[in-house]
Amino acid sequence: MKVTISVIKADIGSLVGHSVVHPKIIEIAKKEIANANKKKKIIEDFFVINCGDDLELIMTHRNGIDNKNVHGLAWNVFIKCAEEAKKMKLYGAGQDIISTAFSGNVRGLGPGIAEMEFEERGSDPIIIFMADKTEAGAWNLPLYKIFADPFNTAGLVIDPKVSKGFIFDVLDTKEGRKITLKTPEESYELLSLIGAPSRYVVKSVRRKEDNEIAAVSSTEKLSKMAGHYVGKDDPVLIVRAQSGFPAVGEVLEPFANPFLVSGWMRGSHHGPLMPVSFSHAKCTRFDGPPRVIAAGFQVANGKLLGPVDLFDDPGFDYARNKANKIANYMRMHGPFEPHRLPLEDLEYTTYPEIEKKLKDRWKKI
Ligand code: 13P
Ligand code: 13P
Ligand code: MG
Ligand code: MG
């Protein structure tokens, strides 16, 4: 019997600006899921956690992706939590609930969604990455490294089950279209697109040999859904590991270097993505720097064993130190690019007003 992993997330309000989800909200979410499931069994197992100010619902079930009952359950949890957040006057209460018109699916309503369905292997390790203060395309670089870069993933060279390559499904968020590209043979074409993560976003990765799902990300762009800035996408990513997929350590390896992502303060700055333990997923310095956590689970008969807090490892201390150095260096630029995002990618801007105010003072050159 197939199992589905659904990770559905939303920022429904937070404690002290955009720092963390209030512990009471996490309790409410857990209780709501358990109660809903008592009335009607929809899911097999679940785990609720926060990454900074984002509430993350990790669920397993037998209903496949885009299931009305599963999405409905998550939606009700967010609505209940947002109601409480409003009562508590938490910051940005209801932030990611952009539309309340639920009709069977949370896509397009504000939450981020990553789901995959597969037949459980003899042993099935998965890693769920969750980020705060960054955009959906932040997974492009690590996904390329995990599934297509032999300098990252030894298995691409030495494991015959992995070396046949992978298929990347890429969305063009500007034009609303998608494309499928194969690695290694189309690596350069792939990189030419996904190297522009504000526009092109890797939605999923499959094994070329048998089309088996290997990774799925949330690609919802909040500002596109809302038509204006409400908060950053703060995406999630599910990756399967071992036995025909990259090993757990190969999946984590790209995060040993804190690459630059966009997000951070007001969603409008480039900064390093810092891998941290669950307890350090709390963006404070200039509302950042952007964070990523990794929750490892074994999926066993539809249940989740774990999580293991995978970045809670001194092996990532160097990445954290380096991220702090990069953060200082980037901050030194203040309002200048490339710390500040280019004009077209800015989430907040006074630019049109300034143009208007100064319009009669420009002189032809
Ligand atoms: P073990 O020999 O510890 O199972 O490790 C194999 C492996 O895949 C390491 O990445
Ligand atoms: P979030 O997207 O995490 O809510 O952060 C918003 C923001 O503007 C931080 O400065
Ligand atoms: Mg927020
Ligand atoms: Mg957030």
Side-chain angles (χ1 to χ4, degrees):
M1 202 197 313
K2 286 188 172 179
V3 63
T4 307
I5 317 288
S6 295
V7 184
I8 308 188
K9 53 94 27 190
D11 177 341
I12 55 87
S14 44
L15 183 58
V16 193
H18 293 282
S19 306
V20 293
V21 177
H22 194 288
K24 194 172 167 188
I25 298 291
I26 295 190
E27 284 316 307
I28 293 172
K30 285 183 190 164
K31 222 181 277 166
E32 284 296 324
I33 300 179
N35 285 345
N37 216 37
K38 251 185 239 158
K39 278 187 212 141
K40 182 181 176 191
K41 188 165 189 275
I42 298 167
I43 57 173
E44 289 287 332
D45 202 1
F46 69 94
F47 185 75
V48 178
I49 191 172
N50 72 300
C51 180
D53 62 356
D54 291 271
L55 178 64
E56 320 274 354
L57 314 180
I58 300 168
M59 299 171 284
T60 58
H61 56 91
R62 304 290 185 188
N63 307 302
I65 64 169
D66 281 325
N67 179 265
K68 192 175 171 178
N69 293 329
V70 174
H71 281 231
L73 187 152
W75 184 247
N76 288 335
V77 170
F78 293 139
I79 296 289
K80 282 268 159 54
C81 290
E83 277 168 13
E84 185 60 29
K86 278 177 191 153
K87 274 190 219 150
M88 293 167 81
K89 294 181 72 175
L90 292 177
Y91 196 72
Q95 176 179 292
D96 289 0
I97 312 244
I98 287 163
S99 162
T100 50
F102 180 79
S103 62
N105 198 298
V106 296
R107 284 182 205 281
L109 303 184
I113 307 118
E115 295 183 295
M116 59 161 72
E117 186 184 31
F118 56 82
E119 200 68 61
E120 250 180 63
R121 295 169 291 169
S123 179
D124 220 304
I126 60 165
I127 302 175
I128 298 176
F129 292 98
M130 294 159 267
D132 189 27
K133 307 294 181 268
T134 188
E135 67 174 0
W139 308 126
N140 286 5
L141 185 150
L143 280 171
Y144 181 82
K145 289 189 117 178
I146 294 165
F147 292 104
D149 178 6
F151 281 76
N152 179 89
T153 298
L156 290 169
V157 180
I158 64 175
D159 180 352
K161 294 200 296 288
V162 177
S163 64
K164 295 195 178 61
F166 290 88
I167 303 171
F168 286 68
D169 292 315
V170 178
L171 307 186
D172 175 352
T173 60
K174 193 173 168 201
E175 294 295 330
R177 49 183 191 163
K178 59 183 177 182
I179 193 167
T180 297
L181 292 164
K182 291 180 179 169
T183 59
E185 60 269 40
E186 294 177 310
S187 300
Y188 297 164
E189 291 86 342
L190 176 66
L191 284 171
S192 133
L193 300 179
I194 68 172
S198 64
R199 172 165 174 181
Y200 298 97
V201 182
V202 178
K203 178 66 207 171
S204 58
V205 181
R206 288 170 287 133
R207 197 160 55 192
K208 205 194 288 169
E209 195 179 4
D210 53 4
N211 221 30
E212 186 66 13
I213 192 73
V216 174
S217 74
S218 66
T219 50
E220 284 69 30
K221 285 214 156 261
L222 261 180
S223 59
K224 285 233 155 57
M225 288 187 275
H228 57 94
Y229 182 65
V230 288
K232 216 63 183 177
D233 315 325
D234 300 340
V236 291
L237 169 69
I238 313 171
V239 183
R240 296 175 77 193
Q242 306 288 151
S243 313
F245 296 114
V248 167
E250 291 168 335
V251 175
L252 299 175
E253 183 62 8
F255 299 93
N257 256 305
F259 50 93
L260 293 171
V261 295
S262 80
W264 206 345
M265 173 58 71
R266 299 170 187 275
S268 301
H269 294 80
H270 285 120
L273 186 63
M274 186 191 267
V276 291
S277 65
F278 298 165
S279 61
H280 287 143
K282 182 173 30 169
C283 290
T284 58
R285 183 186 177 187
F286 197 57
D287 287 1
R291 300 298 146 104
V292 56
I293 58 173
F297 294 94
Q298 290 279 149
V299 184
N301 307 312
K303 299 281 190 284
L304 291 166
L305 297 187
V308 172
D309 183 353
L310 292 164
F311 288 141
D312 182 19
D313 170 4
F316 286 95
D317 281 352
Y318 179 70
R320 294 186 267 267
N321 288 337
K322 194 170 174 185
N324 276 327
K325 285 187 188 138
I326 296 168
N328 254 352
Y329 178 75
M330 296 302 283
R331 281 298 302 124
M332 177 265 292
H333 296 83
F336 281 78
E337 296 177 13
H339 182 30
R340 196 184 72 178
L341 298 191
L343 288 176
E344 63 274 17
D345 290 339
L346 273 182
E347 295 278 18
Y348 268 81
T349 185
T350 48
Y351 179 70
E353 275 164 52
I354 291 172
E355 266 294 339
K356 209 153 99 196
K357 189 168 140 199
L358 301 181
K359 85 175 178 331
D360 300 325
R361 289 171 52 192
W362 291 99
K363 295 197 173 49
K364 266 255 170 314
I365 48 169

